[in-house]
Amino acid sequence: MNQIEELQKLIDESSRIVFFGGAGVSTESGIPDFRSVDGLYHQKWDYPPEEILSAPFFFSKTSEFYRFYREKLLVTGIEPNAAHKKLAELEKAGKLSAVITQNIDGLHQKAGSRNVFELHGSTLRNRCLECGAPYDFDYVASHQDEEGIPRCDKNGCNGIIKPDVVLYGEGLDDECISGSIRALREADLLIIGGTSLTVYPAAGLIDYYMGKDIVLINRDPGPSDGKATLVIHDSIGKVLSQITC
């Protein structure tokens, strides 16, 4: 039995699958990851990306934050890839109960997944820090003052708009964490894909999984390979596209 056949067998025998995904799920849609050789953390800016994407930096150097954010994180013209689509199919077939993602691009929902826990928020949601008015992706991408900062246009508010993205120094959303933990505890199969499981506290959530089998699909070997029942080092889109529901 080859690895795809093993994966298919595990999926066939399960009815409450949880998928836990990271940046590698979206790189096949053209979104750069953070830690690979070509990732955002290896590109040169006036400040380290880790500092730019922190809450203190957002509030102290908002213009510089948005210069980076617009160029690197507000990616337009992207579409779900084979991995996103297969996960949505598995949910529709009653096999997959939840997607837990570290990504902020909304591609799982765009592919059709309904029960998605976005641990690090989403670029699709934004809110005025003064009055709380919500704004979508397009507004933030296209509206800015002379300093490059998107501002609220409601009743002369002019407050700064902040993305609903968890920055360094900010805590994860309590409801999202609770939902993720509940899904993991009830799961009978955990599939981890496109992540090296090095970003905490998100990566620590997998410890709540109580089931027997863990499948890890990632392009490169990682320190968590030993935790998995089945490890597949390949493109996650390529692997999942071979699975039938």
Side-chain angles (χ1 to χ4, degrees):
M1 184 182 298
N2 62 35
Q3 290 184 315
I4 300 299
E5 290 171 339
E6 288 184 58
L7 175 58
Q8 183 71 64
K9 183 173 184 295
L10 289 170
I11 289 174
D12 289 344
E13 294 172 348
S14 305
S15 59
R16 296 185 307 279
I17 302 168
V18 167
F19 178 81
F20 185 101
V25 178
S26 291
T27 53
E28 293 174 38
S29 290
I31 298 177
D33 68 1
F34 280 68
R35 290 175 171 77
S36 69
V37 173
D38 298 319
L40 296 181
Y41 285 178
H42 292 270
Q43 299 176 16
K44 293 184 178 180
W45 288 77
D46 293 339
Y47 302 88
E50 298 97 324
E51 183 179 350
I52 296 173
L53 296 174
S54 69
F57 193 94
F58 174 86
F59 288 104
S60 63
K61 297 181 176 65
T62 311
S63 178
E64 185 69 12
F65 169 89
Y66 268 111
R67 188 173 76 85
F68 179 90
Y69 183 77
R70 278 199 176 88
E71 183 169 337
K72 295 300 180 183
L73 297 182
L74 287 186
V75 184
T76 59
I78 56 172
E79 295 295 334
N81 60 53
H84 298 109
K85 294 174 183 177
K86 183 59 65 174
L87 291 168
E89 288 178 23
L90 287 168
E91 182 186 69
K92 188 174 182 179
K95 304 290 288 182
L96 185 138
S97 60
V99 169
I100 303 171
T101 179
Q102 299 175 83
N103 297 334
I104 58 175
D105 49 51
L107 288 178
H108 285 293
Q109 293 93 326
K110 193 171 185 179
S113 291
R114 299 175 64 86
N115 195 30
V116 181
F117 296 101
E118 297 173 305
L119 296 176
H120 296 152
S122 172
T123 61
L124 306 186
R125 298 186 301 271
N126 307 271
R127 193 166 294 277
C128 172
L129 292 175
E130 294 296 326
C131 71
Y135 287 89
D136 62 14
F137 179 102
D138 291 336
Y139 185 93
V140 171
S142 60
H143 289 71
Q144 55 186 287
D145 63 13
E146 63 277 3
E147 295 180 340
I149 301 171
R151 290 188 175 273
C152 181
D153 64 358
K154 308 297 183 186
N155 301 317
C157 173
N158 204 43
I160 293 173
I161 296 171
K162 182 181 181 294
D164 182 22
V165 171
V166 179
L167 303 176
Y168 290 104
E170 295 182 323
L172 304 185
D173 179 77
D174 287 341
E175 287 188 17
C176 182
I177 292 297
S178 298
S180 299
I181 290 173
R182 183 169 58 252
L184 286 163
R185 282 178 169 165
E186 295 173 354
D188 55 9
L189 177 63
L190 174 60
I191 301 176
I192 301 169
T195 175
S196 56
L197 293 176
T198 57
V199 178
Y200 285 83
L205 287 174
I206 66 169
D207 293 337
Y208 288 97
Y209 173 63
M210 309 300 289
K212 174 186 174 185
D213 294 308
I214 297 177
V215 176
L216 200 157
I217 307 168
N218 201 33
R219 182 184 60 188
D220 304 312
S224 299
D225 286 5
K227 297 181 180 180
T229 310
L230 174 63
V231 178
I232 303 176
H233 291 142
D234 206 341
S235 152
I236 187 165
K238 176 183 174 184
V239 171
L240 291 184
S241 64
Q242 298 177 68
I243 296 301
T244 59
C245 298

